[in-house]
Amino acid sequence: MRTSLRVIAVALFVVSGFGWIIEGPPSLMAQEQPKQQEEFTPIDQLPPQEQLPAAPLLVGAYAFVLLMLFGYMFIVSRRLTVIQDEVDRLDRETKRTG
Amino acid sequence: MPKWFTPAVLVCAVMFAVTPFVIANAPYESTMGLVQKVFYYHMPSAWVFLTASVVCGIASARFLASGDARHDRTALAAAEMAVLFGLITLVTGPLWARKAWGTWWIWDARITSSLVGWMIAWAYLILRQYGGPGSEKLAAGLALFGMANVPFIYVSVNYWRTIHPATTVVPKLPFSMGFPLLFCLASFYLLMFLLMKLRVRVAEQQARLDAIYLSLDEQA
């Protein structure tokens, strides 16, 4: 379980870094309330630096999901193998010593 | 592991391999476009997170009532599922929100209560890991609070002012969007069941190992 906690902590660190890469240092504690709109502007009339692409966010989300799921499965499977091997070894020793 | 486990794992793997194609065929949402497709993993993760919290609470209640270690192992496995899928929900949500709402995070009722629920599941695991003898029952008590939080998380969007979509969205989905959602939901629930089965097996074998070491110590 300690390894699982470490993996989750590392994953959180990686995701935070991903957030920084997308748009610089975000401030999670500050309430960024959406501003009230006074007019509608088509997206293609915004300067390029203000148009946020969706694809990196979407790909990042799916990549994170798969990373977490595969990571957890790998950790649990490896732990089960280690424990099972140890149980089998002790069973054999117990039977041998009577 | 039981004989059906490996075929079930294969079925789950195939289902997850198919989900990208199913999601790609779903139409774009009119206001959010491409980024809305995070929904097909975000919502099933949220449902599994809430379900795992409830399972953890029920198993903890049965453990407190009966003292049966099997319920404790189930509760532990369910808590790990809640932390895992809760984390997935709390990360995929902001990645979607940044594009859809223009902000990574907002302290509204649904998102804040989800964070609190996830932290309760996290606290359960930390208590089990570092709490020492007797921490099983303390953690079981904590899990009951986590389960009590789940209805608040679900109805929060209907009763408090929030930017998060309401619960009426899903029943009103057209088939072209509803089918991919249901397919992903089935995939996630099957995965949760299999992971819980695996995790309970680890706990059982660990308990068996501890019993063997104890008997060897007594013999020595």
Side-chain angles (χ1 to χ4, degrees), chain B residues 117-128:
Chain B
W118 180 74
M119 289 166 71
I120 291 173
W122 184 263
Y124 178 101
L125 294 182
I126 292 174
L127 188 55
R128 289 296 301 264

Side-chain angles (χ1 to χ4, degrees), chain A residues 26-37:
Chain A
S27 172
L28 288 179
M29 296 306 295
Q31 286 207 25
E32 294 179 31
Q33 298 281 351
K35 293 178 185 169
Q36 189 178 43
Q37 280 184 280

Side-chain angles (χ1 to χ4, degrees), chain A residues 1-2 5 8 12 15 18-19 22-23 26 28-29 31-34 43 52 54-55 57-58 60-62 64-65 68-69 72-73 76-77 79-80 83-84 86-87 90-91, chain B residues 23 34-35 37-38 41 76 80-81 83-85 87-88 91-92 95 98-99 101 103-104 106-107 122 125 129-130 163 191 195 198-199 201-202 205-206 208-209 212-213 216:
Chain A
M1 196 191 303
R2 200 169 290 174
L5 291 174
I8 290 171
L12 278 171
V15 166
F18 188 78
I22 288 286
E23 209 184 336
L28 288 179
M29 296 306 295
Q31 286 207 25
E32 294 179 31
Q33 298 281 351
I43 195 168
L52 189 65
L57 295 165
L58 185 70
Y62 281 101
F64 179 78
V65 171
M68 291 302 297
L69 293 179
Y72 182 80
M73 278 187 276
V76 172
S77 298
R79 195 170 157 205
L80 181 61
I83 292 175
Q84 191 66 55
E86 183 66 9
V87 167
L90 288 172
D91 269 346
Chain B
I23 292 167
L34 177 67
V35 79
K37 298 207 174 198
V38 174
Y41 269 28
L76 178 61
E80 288 197 2
M81 295 302 109
V83 169
L84 176 68
F85 288 97
L87 181 63
I88 289 172
V91 169
T92 54
L95 287 171
R98 182 60 189 92
K99 177 70 174 173
W101 303 339
T103 182
W104 291 104
I106 197 160
W107 293 101
W122 184 263
L125 294 182
Q129 179 70 20
Y130 301 107
I163 199 172
L191 179 65
L195 286 176
L198 193 65
R199 187 61 186 86
R201 175 75 175 167
V202 170
Q205 293 300 93
Q206 183 67 54
R208 192 173 156 204
L209 190 63
I212 293 174
Y213 278 128
L216 287 173

Side-chain angles (χ1 to χ4, degrees), chain B residues 42 46 49-50 53 82 86-87 89-90 105 107-121 149-150 152-154 156-157 164:
Chain B
H42 172 75
F49 160 56
L50 297 181
S53 298
L87 181 63
T89 306
L90 290 169
W105 187 269
W107 293 101
D108 78 340
R110 164 64 67 91
I111 300 170
T112 305
S113 57
S114 296
L115 179 64
V116 169
W118 180 74
M119 289 166 71
I120 291 173
N149 188 39
V150 168
F152 286 100
I153 294 174
Y154 184 75
S156 59
V157 288
H164 191 285

